[in-house]
Amino acid sequence: MAKLYFRYGAMNSGKSTSLLQAAYNYEERGQHVLLAKPAIDTKGASQIDSRLGMTREVDFLIGAEDDARALFAERNEGRDIACLLIDEAQFLTAEQVDDLFRIAVEDGIPVIAYGIRNDFLTHAFPGSARLLAIAHSLEELKTICRCGRKAVFNGRVVGGRFVFDGDQVAIDEGADGSAAPELTTYESLCGRCYLEESGGRLG
Ligand SMILES: [Zn+2]
């Protein structure tokens, strides 16, 4: 039986690199894959960008209201797709994760979803919560904190300082030309360093 896989990790744990490598491995064997990601992630528009510099266009974007299984079925029509690979899966809705589960179980196509487990306030993203609940296989992609421990959280840094208030999604904050946008970045942190930065606050 085909399975739904969730490969999760903190920011900078190499998820996109791992996804592109998985696509390459299939294609090296002469098999076809489809790549997709939620449309909410505007930072790379319709591309998957790995930190190592590899870039690839997705085959389709999944909008917030879209039926992911129907989108997949359109593109799978008449082709022999061996695997569906999803980047930034944390931004999927719970219903779309259920669609992925059906693609695996009922349509017989393995689905490998890559994503971040929790947001900058340590809460699960909707897509990740559902994936953690129903994926057949969970695999953690590890990265290390500045102190050398395993990073499990994603601290949000605005203007060079950690912040612990704001919306869950802050991609391209200020990109609409609003006054004095400050660059939002993230740093992967272990539990101890997160608590030190947050003053002991979790969520
Ligand atoms: Zn640390």
Side-chain angles (χ1 to χ4, degrees), residues 116-196:
I116 295 164
R117 185 163 56 150
N118 47 40
D119 67 14
F120 76 113
L121 295 177
T122 75
H123 298 131
F125 284 97
S128 305
R130 191 64 185 148
L131 280 159
L132 288 166
I134 70 170
H136 299 92
S137 169
L138 300 174
E139 182 187 340
E140 185 173 23
L141 301 175
K142 297 183 177 68
T143 191
I144 57 170
C145 179
R146 60 195 180 195
C147 72
R149 294 186 187 89
K150 185 178 83 172
V152 292
F153 294 126
N154 306 291
R156 179 180 290 173
V157 180
V158 179
R161 299 182 57 178
F162 283 99
V163 296
F164 296 91
D165 288 296
D167 295 335
Q168 185 172 56
V169 180
I171 295 167
D172 289 345
E173 209 165 40
D176 58 353
S178 58
E182 286 192 285
L183 184 64
T184 299
T185 59
Y186 293 88
E187 182 176 336
S188 312
L189 296 170
C190 73
R192 181 179 295 270
C193 290
Y194 185 94
L195 287 173
E196 277 174 19

Side-chain angles (χ1 to χ4, degrees), residues 29-146:
R29 300 193 297 258
Q31 297 182 304
H32 300 291
V33 299
L34 287 174
L35 277 55
K37 71 178 192 178
I40 188 174
D41 167 38
T42 56
K43 89 188 151 178
S46 60
Q47 288 185 341
I48 293 174
D49 295 312
S50 82
R51 290 194 309 140
L52 299 184
M54 288 183 293
T55 289
R56 182 163 163 173
E57 282 290 313
V58 295
D59 296 290
F60 62 98
L61 290 169
I62 304 168
E65 305 296 323
D66 286 343
D67 177 332
R69 192 180 180 195
L71 288 178
F72 172 75
E74 271 173 43
R75 281 146 188 90
N76 188 31
E77 182 83 49
R79 300 178 70 188
D80 189 17
I81 297 301
C83 183
L84 172 62
L85 296 158
I86 310 281
D87 198 23
E88 307 281 4
Q90 69 273 10
F91 296 136
L92 296 171
T93 64
E95 292 74 21
Q96 288 168 341
V97 172
D98 293 352
D99 291 340
L100 301 184
F101 185 84
R102 292 193 177 93
I103 291 169
V105 173
E106 297 185 344
D107 303 335
I109 312 293
V111 180
I112 310 177
Y114 294 81
I116 295 164
R117 185 163 56 150
N118 47 40
D119 67 14
F120 76 113
L121 295 177
T122 75
H123 298 131
F125 284 97
S128 305
R130 191 64 185 148
L131 280 159
L132 288 166
I134 70 170
H136 299 92
S137 169
L138 300 174
E139 182 187 340
E140 185 173 23
L141 301 175
K142 297 183 177 68
T143 191
I144 57 170
C145 179
R146 60 195 180 195

